[in-house]
Amino acid sequence: MSRRRVTMTDVARRAGVSPTTASFVLAGRRDMRISGDAEERVRRAARELGYRPNLTARGLRTSVTRTVALISDTIATTQFAGEVIHGALDAAGAREHVLFVAETEGDPQVETRLVEGMLDRQVDGFVYATMYSREVRLPAALREARVVLLNCYERDTRAPSVLPDEVNAGRDAARVLLDAGHREGVHVVGGRHVTEATPDGVWAGRERMRGIEEVLTEAGVRVDGVAECDWQPEDGHREVGRLLAAGTVPRALVCLNDRLSLGAYQALQEAGLRVPDDVSVVSFDDSDLAVWVRPRLTSVALPHYRLGRTAVEMLLDDGTEPVVRRVPMPVMPRASHGRPRA
């Protein structure tokens, strides 16, 4: 049988004061004359009884529930979700807030129902997140709510956004090859990740390519080839296989994610080429694949934990300006790149 919750009336009765006096003391209010002795009796009674404030009742009075909601499309069931949610939970906990996590699976009706449910619970704010970095359209129900966009952005909104710094990630990937001495034979696999739905390329692909091209151009190095394709292992295998079949042996490959790199490794191995002795490979995302392939893959990491933490910190730190916070993506140097072959 569950233990009955200790009420403010219980504390007041134990302390020998009125419920109003007990309430003022425990709320830290100073707009009522209360003796030091009465204050001490109230606090001692609360400790002895194990009193905890009723946050629901407080939320009804103050419209502050110390809860926030993370609404996502499919991020909650992806392999990277744990770190994003971990970061968000840590930020919420550090500010004594509870985090609700809900997933829409990309269904607009489910999204509307979840958002309205959170609004009915009077959450203090929302983190609106997507699995892939992309442009979004905020649901109408969130237009007047306090919200931070995570891993996405909206052009015409006053909501701040938190995004991985993909342009600098591209620059850093290019610098890895330049620092190793690569000046020719550099090919990019994945390009802007053009699809029928995104003929101009997906956001991460465009940003990464921009950074790569900026740094190589500044160094006077030309990209010898860019393969536009999806970002799965079979795509990397096919595109690198085509390159080799045409008689071109690259000196370095920049694969725009680790799955592409896995396919590239296989194509190079089938051709009798070794990484990094014959071909250097640099990648993005720093997924589990990066440490399982051999040699281990140099990859620019997506900062999942920091993305989740930053979004909740911005939400709770009164950040209402439509700023875009770009979170750095660290390079994880491993054994897949080296000096170009003679």
Side-chain angles (χ1 to χ4, degrees):
M1 188 172 181
S2 62
R3 181 183 174 188
R4 184 179 70 85
R5 186 183 183 97
V6 176
T7 67
M8 187 71 73
T9 301
D10 296 327
V11 174
R13 186 179 299 117
R14 171 71 71 92
V17 300
S18 70
T20 300
T21 297
S23 176
F24 271 57
V25 170
L26 295 180
R29 292 177 59 176
R30 296 296 176 189
D31 49 336
M32 179 178 177
R33 294 179 63 85
I34 301 172
S35 70
D37 177 64
E39 279 196 33
E40 177 55 32
R41 294 201 312 273
V42 169
R43 298 189 189 284
R44 184 169 61 247
R47 289 194 301 270
E48 292 171 351
L49 293 172
Y51 171 76
R52 290 183 297 112
N54 187 324
L55 296 181
T56 301
R58 178 182 292 177
L60 291 173
R61 293 193 308 270
T62 65
S63 297
V64 176
T65 60
R66 304 193 75 80
T67 59
V68 292
L70 190 156
I71 303 281
S72 71
D73 48 12
T74 57
I75 197 171
T77 54
T78 65
Q79 61 176 317
F80 302 130
E83 284 300 295
V84 173
I85 295 172
H86 184 190
L89 283 169
D90 281 356
R95 289 158 175 77
E96 298 182 345
H97 279 65
V98 172
L99 178 73
F100 296 127
V101 180
E103 182 176 292
T104 70
E105 296 184 351
D107 186 322
Q109 293 182 333
V110 172
E111 180 178 79
T112 298
R113 187 170 68 250
L114 288 172
V115 169
E116 290 177 348
M118 295 298 181
L119 288 170
D120 290 343
R121 287 166 176 79
Q122 292 187 301
V123 297
D124 297 335
F126 290 83
V127 173
Y128 186 82
T130 58
M131 177 180 177
Y132 297 110
S133 300
R134 59 185 176 88
E135 185 175 0
V136 297
R137 181 70 177 168
L138 269 178
L142 288 182
R143 289 289 162 189
E144 302 303 321
R146 184 179 184 81
V147 61
V148 171
L149 302 176
L150 172 57
N151 206 35
C152 55
Y153 63 97
E154 187 179 41
R155 293 184 191 278
D156 302 319
T157 184
R158 290 177 293 177
S161 300
V162 178
L163 290 162
D165 193 349
E166 300 280 13
V167 174
N168 268 323
R171 291 173 181 141
D172 288 342
R175 289 188 187 106
V176 167
L177 294 178
L178 292 176
D179 290 347
H182 288 276
R183 293 293 184 276
E184 57 184 18
V186 178
H187 291 255
V188 179
V189 183
R192 298 182 303 278
H193 192 184
V194 172
T195 68
E196 289 184 8
T198 58
D200 294 327
V202 300
W203 186 84
R206 295 197 309 268
E207 298 278 284
R208 291 173 185 181
M209 280 300 302
R210 179 178 144 202
I212 292 166
E213 291 170 333
E214 280 182 8
V215 165
L216 293 181
T217 299
E218 288 170 2
V221 175
R222 180 171 61 91
V223 176
D224 283 356
V226 178
E228 297 283 1
C229 61
D230 286 340
W231 288 5
Q232 297 301 325
E234 59 268 26
D235 302 300
H237 181 268
R238 181 188 65 249
E239 296 302 327
V240 174
R242 285 176 177 172
L243 189 65
L244 298 173
T248 299
V249 178
R251 296 199 171 193
L253 294 174
V254 182
C255 296
L256 291 204
N257 78 348
D258 295 340
R259 294 189 298 275
L260 283 168
S261 295
L262 175 60
Y265 266 44
Q266 292 173 327
L268 292 170
Q269 183 180 31
E270 290 166 4
L273 298 169
R274 296 171 299 170
V275 177
D277 297 345
D278 298 309
V279 183
S280 287
V281 180
V282 175
S283 186
F284 293 84
D285 291 356
D286 194 39
S287 66
D288 290 345
L289 287 174
V291 294
W292 278 107
V293 296
R294 293 295 182 272
R296 293 185 176 185
L297 182 61
T298 295
S299 190
V300 187
L302 277 168
H304 297 102
Y305 174 89
R306 182 51 59 185
L307 286 167
R309 179 155 197 146
T310 300
V312 173
E313 288 174 344
M314 289 179 68
L315 184 69
L316 299 179
D317 286 347
D318 294 326
T320 56
E321 294 298 317
V323 298
V324 177
R325 181 77 58 82
R326 297 186 182 270
V327 180
M329 297 172 61
V331 177
M332 308 303 290
R334 298 191 181 94
S336 67
H337 73 285
R339 297 198 63 79
R341 65 184 184 276

